[in-house]
Amino acid sequence: GKVKRFIAEKAYGFIAPDDGGVEIFFHKSCVKLLESQEIADGIAVSFRLSKDRSGRPCAEDVEIDE
């Protein structure tokens, strides 16, 4: 997928899946970043689909694709 939007002040954002499905919430704490990487709108990412405490879909193990 691609990061649709990331709100740095709130440390969360949304991923647009490659299949065009519903946007998926992610929190910055679930992103695996290398020292030189940053989260930004439009970057390609891979992730594992999970559910939050409320049962809503969310992204886990988010990694920036090279």
Side-chain angles (χ1 to χ4, degrees), residues 3-59:
V3 175
K4 176 91 177 203
R5 65 183 171 272
F6 178 67
I7 305 158
E9 301 81 33
K10 299 199 180 216
Y12 69 81
F14 297 89
I15 297 170
D18 289 335
D19 66 5
V22 177
E23 291 179 8
I24 301 164
F25 173 85
F26 74 94
H27 190 271
K28 184 178 179 180
S29 64
C30 295
V31 180
K32 298 176 182 178
L33 292 174
L34 300 176
E35 285 185 32
S36 62
Q37 294 177 323
E38 292 185 24
I39 304 169
D41 294 356
I43 61 170
V45 294
S46 55
F47 61 94
R48 180 176 59 83
L49 192 57
S50 186
K51 292 189 178 187
D52 66 14
R53 288 177 269 170
S54 303
R56 295 176 293 200
C58 67

Side-chain angles (χ1 to χ4, degrees), residues 1-3 40 42-46 63-66:
K2 289 194 179 194
V3 175
I43 61 170
V45 294
S46 55
E63 294 184 28
I64 295 175
D65 294 341
E66 297 283 327

